[in-house]
């Protein structure tokens, strides 16, 4: 059994999976409510909460899996990228568990983890494929050739990530945090053609979402409080559809350039219902509960990594960003 831990942002998560990718337990404790009043994640608050939650979440995962620490053969943990203080909580916990049992430890890259959400049972998606990774921190088009090698980055965002655009847009609309799911819900009641909110046209396979956010800001500024109340769903629908259009267009373009029809989508934004519907029917979509941050995907990635043997991981460091 593989025990996975994920604490890179505001989810404290632990999972137990088997070597062949069956999920035995997948516990996620979201801190969203804790950060909602600030309109975004406060790093120091997140670290402290991870510290309180990591042990109970881990115990719950083992309980759900009907397992004990003695059943664990490999410990997997997100080493980065993410909030450094938050990552350190997971890394320290993972080291302690692995060291006490002389187990190997896999230091997993969070983005590799998102991709590896596709390799879990019951319907694993084997590479090669063109992968759109869209989360709160990243928006990338990746050429994934196999499970073990680092994917080649074909395009990335020049400014905001897609999920960040959702979160910032939601804030401008007076919706809660995190904003993606809120906009997704409200957009169903609105007209996506009501507002012309263009996404900046960037050459090649890169993205840019910061101009869109400014367009929304100006549209909102023109409205009185009453008008905003009436038009909020239309604004949400128009805003969402602009983000989705950009993601789908570039994903198609990248697939064409790669000469593949196999597209896969992972990350928090992959949960978006309009995005899921707008992609070609053959697109492999990460299962909904595995789109947003979780530890099952981290344990999954560990299966295709080179774990560090006892006790060499004691000096392992977390990293905030990929250089
Ligand atoms: O992958 P994830 O959980 O964390 C990061 O690695 O960043 O992604 C979180 C992001 C947030 O920005 C959130 O607003 C967005 O995913 N998100 C969504 C939806 N659910 C979550 N965006 C659009 N539609 C959704 N249904
Ligand atoms: Zn993530």
């Amino acid at each position: 059994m593989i025990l996975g831990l994920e604490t890179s942002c505001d989810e404290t998560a632990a999972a137990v999976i088997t070597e062949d990718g069956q999920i035995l337990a997948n516990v996620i404790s979201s801190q969203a409510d804790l950060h909602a009043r600030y309109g975004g994640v406060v790093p120091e608050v997140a670290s402290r909460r991870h510290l309180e939650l990591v042990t109970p979440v881990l115990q719950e995962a083992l309980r759900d899996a009907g397992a004990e620490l003695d059943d664990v053969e490999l410990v997997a943990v997100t080493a980065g990228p993410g909030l450094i203080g938050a990552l350190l909580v997971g890394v320290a916990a993972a080291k302690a568990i692995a060291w006490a049992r002389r187990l190997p430890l896999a230091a997993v890259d969070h983005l590799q983890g998102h991709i590896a959400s596709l390799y879990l049972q019951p319907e694993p998606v084997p590479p090669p494929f063109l992968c759109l990774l869209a989360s709160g921190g990243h928006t990338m088009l990746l050429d994934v050739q196999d499970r073990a090698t680092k994917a080649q980055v074909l395009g990335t965002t020049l400014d905001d990530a897609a999920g960040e655009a959702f979160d910032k847009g939601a804030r401008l609309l007076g919706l809660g945090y995190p904003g993606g799911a809120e906009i997704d819900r409200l957009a169903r009641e609105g007209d996506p053609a009501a507002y012309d909110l263009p996404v900046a046209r960037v050459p090649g396979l890169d993205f840019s979402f910061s101009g869109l956010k400014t367009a929304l800001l100006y549209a909102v500024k023109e409205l009185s409080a009453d008008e905003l109340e009436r038009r909020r769903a239309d604004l949400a629908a128009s805003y969402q559809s602009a983000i989705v259009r950009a993601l789908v267009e570039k994903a198609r373009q990248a697939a064409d350039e790669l000469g593949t029809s196999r597209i896969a989508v992972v990350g928090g934004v992959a949960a978006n219902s309009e995005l899921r519907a707008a992609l070609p029917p053959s697109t492999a979509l990460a299962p909904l509960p595995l789109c947003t941050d979780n530890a099952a995907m981290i344990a999954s990635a560990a299966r295709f990594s080179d774990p560090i043997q006892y006790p060499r991981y004691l000096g392992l460091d977390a990293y905030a960003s990929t250089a």
Side-chain angles (χ1 to χ4, degrees):
M1 281 179 200
I2 306 171
L3 173 69
L5 281 178
E6 151 66 41
T7 64
S8 70
C9 190
D10 65 340
E11 271 94 15
T12 315
V16 180
I17 73 167
T18 60
E19 191 54 48
D20 65 350
Q22 285 181 56
I23 303 175
L24 303 179
N26 189 21
V27 177
I28 303 162
S29 176
S30 170
Q31 306 181 5
D33 292 349
L34 184 65
H35 300 281
R37 68 178 125 153
Y38 307 109
V41 179
V42 184
E44 185 57 24
V45 174
S47 314
R48 285 163 193 259
R49 192 75 182 128
H50 281 306
L51 205 51
E52 290 165 0
L53 288 173
V54 69
T55 304
V57 164
L58 203 133
Q59 284 168 333
E60 191 179 332
L62 287 169
R63 210 164 39 239
D64 284 2
E68 293 178 13
L69 274 180
D70 285 341
D71 300 319
V72 175
E73 292 149 299
L74 170 64
V75 182
V77 65
T78 309
L83 304 171
I84 194 71
L87 287 161
L88 283 171
V89 176
V91 168
K95 278 183 194 175
I97 294 166
W99 182 77
R101 289 177 172 67
R102 300 179 172 242
L103 296 174
L105 184 148
V108 175
D109 181 274
H110 186 76
L111 306 182
Q112 285 296 119
H114 273 298
I115 299 170
S117 66
L118 294 163
Y119 306 149
L120 287 159
Q121 304 281 358
E123 287 181 70
V125 181
F129 48 72
L130 178 273
C131 183
L132 168 65
L133 188 163
S135 69
H138 296 86
T139 306
M140 290 180 167
L141 288 163
L142 302 156
D143 177 7
V144 181
Q145 284 297 327
D146 63 72
R147 294 177 179 89
T149 324
K150 210 163 184 266
Q152 193 198 339
V153 181
L154 305 173
T156 183
T157 182
L158 303 177
D159 38 57
D160 291 351
E164 192 179 357
F166 271 107
D167 295 336
K168 289 177 174 171
R171 199 165 177 189
L172 290 173
L173 291 173
L175 303 170
Y177 170 85
E182 296 283 329
I183 290 189
D184 195 348
R185 209 169 304 129
L186 186 61
R188 286 174 209 157
E189 299 159 25
D191 173 8
Y195 285 88
D196 183 26
L197 299 173
V199 171
R201 292 205 157 269
V202 183
L205 295 173
D206 290 332
F207 302 88
S208 165
F209 293 108
S210 70
L212 173 69
K213 179 186 63 194
T214 312
L216 178 66
L217 173 68
Y218 285 125
V220 168
K221 268 192 171 167
E222 279 181 16
L223 302 176
S224 68
D226 278 359
E227 283 168 331
L228 176 59
E229 200 55 54
R230 273 199 309 279
R231 303 303 304 274
R232 193 178 270 131
D234 284 344
L235 282 163
S238 305
Y239 188 75
Q240 170 173 284
S241 115
I243 297 174
V244 167
R245 247 189 346 260
L247 293 174
V248 173
E249 256 174 43
K250 291 276 161 136
R252 279 180 185 273
Q253 188 185 329
D256 281 351
E257 287 182 19
L258 271 189
T260 180
S261 57
R262 303 193 71 224
I263 302 178
V265 189
V266 300
V269 178
N272 185 265
S273 59
E274 186 179 336
L275 176 64
R276 292 176 89 87
L279 289 156
S282 61
T283 304
L285 300 160
L288 271 182
L290 299 179
C291 287
T292 41
D293 288 348
N294 63 86
M297 69 184 197
I298 302 302
S300 177
R303 294 183 294 149
F304 311 103
S305 77
D306 238 344
I308 313 169
Q309 296 306 316
Y310 169 90
R312 285 192 290 118
Y313 42 75
L314 286 179
L316 174 73
D317 242 338
Y319 52 94
S321 56
T322 319

